[in-house]
């Protein structure tokens, strides 16, 4: 994920540069496994659920129009998001709130629109985004 590091990550990098570099590699690999729109949907939904903003990516090509990005505030049933995107957002919410409670229905809804490998890749990118977003929030509060 090519991005300008958020303040928490910058502060953490001063204390633990090697783990932060390794985490950046994990983010990059995970992000490369999904398309830009999927990545942006995951990033925005995780950030909203955790009460923060989406970190800048430095990517000039925005994968979501301003209207579609605004639809994420009340995404359930939005005509601006297709069935695949709705299933993706349901999965992301469940992952963030309680991954251990992930049910068959969240995965089955995704499998209607994606292969098992793509669902696995979505899980990986959701994990990476969730992990780094939480880390950035904690590091900003504790170290910055």
């Amino acid at each position: 994920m090519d991005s300008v590091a958020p303040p928490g990550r910058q502060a953490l990098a001063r204390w633990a540069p090697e783990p932060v570099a390794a985490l950046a590699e994990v983010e990059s690999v995970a992000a490369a496994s999904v398309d830009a729109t999927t990545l942006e949907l995951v990033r925005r939904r995780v950030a909203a659920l955790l009460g923060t903003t989406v970190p800048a990516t430095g990517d000039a090509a925005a994968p979501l129009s301003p209207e579609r990005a605004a639809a994420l505030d009340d995404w359930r049933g939005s005509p601006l998001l297709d069935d695949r995107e709705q299933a993706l957002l349901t999965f992301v919410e469940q992952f963030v709130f309680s991954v251990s409670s992930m049910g068959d229905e969240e995965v089955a809804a995704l499998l209607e629109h994606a292969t098992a490998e793509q669902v696995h890749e979505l899980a990986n990118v959701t994990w990476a985004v969730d992990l780094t977003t939480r880390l950035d929030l904690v590091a900003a509060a504790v170290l910055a």
Side-chain angles (χ1 to χ4, degrees):
M1 291 180 196
D2 294 331
S3 65
V4 175
R9 189 86 56 96
Q10 292 174 20
L12 184 58
R14 289 191 293 276
W15 291 94
E18 294 84 13
V20 169
L23 186 57
E25 179 65 19
V26 167
E27 286 181 290
S28 179
V29 170
S33 72
V34 297
D35 63 87
T37 299
T38 296
L39 178 60
E40 191 65 10
L41 288 168
V42 171
R43 290 174 74 241
R44 287 177 178 270
R45 195 64 202 137
V46 168
L49 292 169
L50 297 178
T52 190
T53 57
V54 176
T57 63
D59 186 358
L64 296 178
S65 68
E67 297 79 20
R68 284 174 39 85
L72 292 176
D73 291 338
D74 188 23
W75 63 269
R76 293 188 197 285
S78 171
L80 298 178
L81 300 167
D82 63 27
D83 290 343
R84 182 193 75 82
E85 292 165 333
Q86 300 253 344
L88 181 151
L89 293 168
T90 299
F91 178 90
V92 170
E93 280 195 3
Q94 185 60 46
F95 191 102
V96 170
F97 288 135
S98 180
V99 70
S100 65
S101 299
M102 183 73 67
D104 292 340
E105 64 257 9
E106 289 92 1
V107 176
L110 283 172
L111 288 171
E112 291 180 21
H113 308 283
T115 66
E117 182 179 357
Q118 290 168 325
V119 172
H120 176 73
E121 290 166 348
L122 174 63
N124 286 337
V125 79
T126 303
W127 168 77
V129 170
D130 182 61
L131 171 72
T132 56
T133 303
R134 289 174 192 269
L135 178 69
D136 292 339
L137 286 167
V138 171
V142 175
L143 300 173

